[in-house]
Amino acid sequence: MSSFNLVQEFLEQSAVKFPDKIALVCGDERLTYSEIENRANRLANGLRKKGIQRGDRVALFLPNSVELVVSIFAVLKCDAIFVVVNSTTKLDKLIYVLNNCEVSALILSSSQIPLSEKISNFCPSIRFFVLTGGSGFSGDYQKFLAWEELLDSSSAERIPSRNIDLDLACLIYTSGSTGEPKGVMSDHSNIIFAVNSITSYIGNTADDVVINVLPLSFDYGLYQLFMVFSFGGRLILEKGFSYPAQVLSQIEKEKVTGFPGVPTIYSILVNMDLSPFDLSSLRYMTNTAAALPPAHIQKIRDTFPGVTLFSMYGLTETKRTLYLPPSQLDVRPDSVGIAIPGTEVWIEDEHGNRLGAGEVGELVVRGRHVMRGYWGDEELTAQRFRPAKFSGERLCYTGDLFRMDEEGYFYFV
């Protein structure tokens, strides 16, 4: 088992162990670990030359792409904090996020030049923009840098890191269905702990090939990248799930072993004719975001009889919280399981009393994966992340109602 202190070491250690192994397949591009490491080092040096320092926030407004993967690791290599913003985010929400965490630089596609001029007027903290994709960019604006030029003119030497595992790695903005988006602060140790815990119960190895159709702005999508690079597997990164047949062809072609999905994706899959595709390489599927109804679980298992299904529950504030061991799917298909390895959960009433089997209360989470709070919002942080009774640590109060059975399995209410 590799030991990691900083998130960029997922890439760095795999680049040492598996330099020539294909790490990332995205569209027509196939990149090895050493190629990604080389590009990430170049971009990191380029950003550093332009003044990005330890603790600065750099926003990435890109679709799932090679450039997005390289940017994530490059920002970490600068000891800075990356913020992935979904590339479909509306301008007002985008500007809110950029101003909320006072980003120093924004990496986006050159097709967004008209947008970046607007952003420039409303976001005074942005010192420069990096534009990917080249075309339509004349390069005569001082604030605008071309991705290719920045990489070509920078060294591939790795920058010595000053960060420790308590430093922030990223801000993940939750959708903000109620009010404005909130930036969940994840430090390096939060992410590394969650990655190690999840890959341990899924049983990942370097032979795993994982296809990801989820946006990297969504923690479930982002962690597929981190998990695969931590164990030296291969990630097939798709733009989305708009063309299911194309995704299924990729599963067949790349001999994919792992498929992370959400209920909407699974309902499309189980209603498709899958006979044209050889999906026999699939070893496991995971579900989170919302619970799968038991009938739905049964349909997935009938459709993919040889595949192990992991039903899970999590929230951005703790990454992953509960998982149902696959052996329990027949016994209690409506449960979302037990605490992930190395963590503890229980149910409390409104007075802070722990509840027993059959009683309904709020799920409370304890562990190294409990994030650091919300960026710039102490009041909201104090509501969600509260001190534990004795030890100076913080617990996450999920705001979700659960009950537990006699054997300690949890059910979402």
Side-chain angles (χ1 to χ4, degrees):
M1 188 74 181
S2 304
S3 69
F4 306 104
N5 292 307
L6 299 170
V7 173
Q8 62 266 33
E9 291 169 11
F10 295 154
L11 168 61
E12 292 169 357
Q13 292 188 22
S14 287
V16 170
K17 253 193 262 180
F18 310 107
D20 302 324
K21 181 174 182 176
I22 298 292
L24 181 67
V25 177
C26 186
D28 298 329
E29 294 187 86
R30 304 177 75 80
L31 272 76
T32 64
Y33 276 107
S34 59
E35 285 170 331
I36 299 169
E37 169 73 352
N38 178 290
R39 289 189 199 184
N41 285 335
R42 287 181 187 279
L43 181 58
N45 280 301
L47 293 172
R48 186 51 71 80
K49 250 187 330 211
K50 292 292 171 190
I52 294 299
Q53 293 300 319
R54 185 181 187 181
D56 283 350
R57 275 77 59 209
V58 178
L60 315 173
F61 187 56
L62 294 167
N64 283 4
S65 55
V66 167
E67 289 81 6
L68 179 52
V69 170
V70 169
S71 298
I72 286 168
F73 287 104
V75 173
L76 292 170
K77 285 168 174 285
C78 286
D79 289 334
I81 300 163
F82 73 85
V83 186
V84 184
V85 186
N86 192 308
S87 61
T88 61
T89 302
K90 299 278 184 285
L91 183 63
D92 57 338
K93 275 250 162 84
L94 172 63
I95 287 171
Y96 174 83
V97 167
L98 300 178
N99 284 329
N100 178 253
C101 63
E102 297 178 65
V103 303
S104 298
L106 176 61
I107 302 180
L108 73 173
S109 150
S110 57
S111 62
Q112 306 273 25
I113 288 179
L115 183 74
S116 54
E117 287 162 353
K118 283 183 192 153
I119 292 167
S120 194
N121 296 331
F122 290 106
C123 302
S125 63
I126 297 182
R127 302 201 295 274
F128 64 91
F129 297 82
V130 179
L131 296 162
T132 71
S135 59
F137 171 54
S138 60
D140 53 356
Y141 303 97
Q142 285 211 295
K143 258 190 170 182
F144 294 85
L145 310 168
W147 168 277
E148 294 293 347
E149 282 173 32
L150 195 59
L151 265 68
D152 290 347
S153 63
S154 302
S155 156
E157 288 283 306
R158 189 182 295 166
I159 300 172
S161 189
R162 289 170 55 211
N163 270 354
I164 64 167
D165 67 352
L166 292 174
D167 285 302
L168 293 188
C170 66
L171 300 177
I172 299 176
Y173 276 83
T174 59
S175 53
S177 44
T178 54
E180 298 294 2
K182 305 183 288 288
V184 176
M185 299 187 284
S186 305
D187 71 28
H188 286 263
S189 72
N190 297 143
I191 294 172
I192 289 166
F193 173 85
V195 162
N196 286 339
S197 180
I198 298 164
T199 53
S200 75
Y201 70 73
I202 290 177
N204 289 116
T205 71
D207 294 330
D208 275 320
V209 180
V210 177
I211 194 161
N212 180 46
V213 300
L214 307 157
L216 298 187
S217 55
F218 174 36
D219 67 334
Y220 188 24
L222 178 65
Y223 273 73
Q224 303 309 319
L225 168 65
F226 289 154
M227 286 157 55
V228 170
F229 279 27
S230 79
F231 57 74
R234 179 185 304 165
L235 183 71
I236 315 300
L237 185 61
E238 295 289 313
K239 291 267 193 292
F241 197 65
S242 309
Y243 303 101
Q246 196 178 305
V247 172
L248 293 166
S249 296
Q250 278 290 70
I251 292 175
E252 179 174 354
K253 185 174 147 212
E254 297 290 343
K255 303 210 175 345
V256 166
T257 60
F259 184 94
V262 293
T264 48
I265 287 174
Y266 285 119
S267 63
I268 293 168
L269 274 182
V270 296
N271 290 304
M272 279 179 74
D273 174 15
L274 301 177
S275 61
F277 308 99
D278 175 6
L279 307 176
S280 58
S281 60
L282 280 172
R283 177 175 77 76
Y284 72 90
M285 293 175 143
T286 60
N287 175 74
T288 191
L292 285 168
H296 211 138
I297 288 175
Q298 196 48 54
K299 211 166 175 191
I300 294 168
R301 294 175 73 204
D302 292 344
T303 310
F304 301 96
V307 177
T308 305
L309 177 65
F310 292 88
S311 178
M312 307 179 296
Y313 160 84
L315 63 168
T316 310
E317 289 80 354
T318 63
K319 173 52 203 145
R320 185 67 46 72
T321 309
L322 304 166
Y323 82 105
L324 187 65
S327 61
Q328 295 295 316
L329 272 172
D330 290 325
V331 188
R332 40 190 125 237
D334 50 342
S335 167
V336 278
I338 53 175
I340 65 170
T343 72
E344 191 180 355
V345 296
W346 61 85
I347 296 171
E348 279 187 15
D349 66 17
E350 62 272 27
H351 307 298
N353 304 309
R354 288 204 194 195
L355 301 175
E359 299 179 281
V360 173
E362 183 176 9
L363 190 74
V364 182
V365 187
R366 173 176 182 248
R368 199 69 208 80
H369 60 331
V370 170
M371 302 295 176
R372 295 282 288 277
Y374 300 115
W375 180 269
D377 196 332
E378 286 182 21
E379 196 181 318
L380 209 56
T381 296
Q383 282 172 29
R384 175 64 56 104
F385 301 93
R386 300 180 214 160
K389 282 204 168 73
F390 305 110
S391 49
E393 62 178 289
R394 286 164 323 116
L395 308 171
C396 177
Y397 282 73
T398 61
D400 288 336
L401 294 179
F402 274 78
R403 64 181 171 81
M404 179 181 73
D405 65 21
E406 297 288 346
E407 279 84 38
Y409 285 82
F410 289 85
Y411 299 77
F412 184 76
V413 174

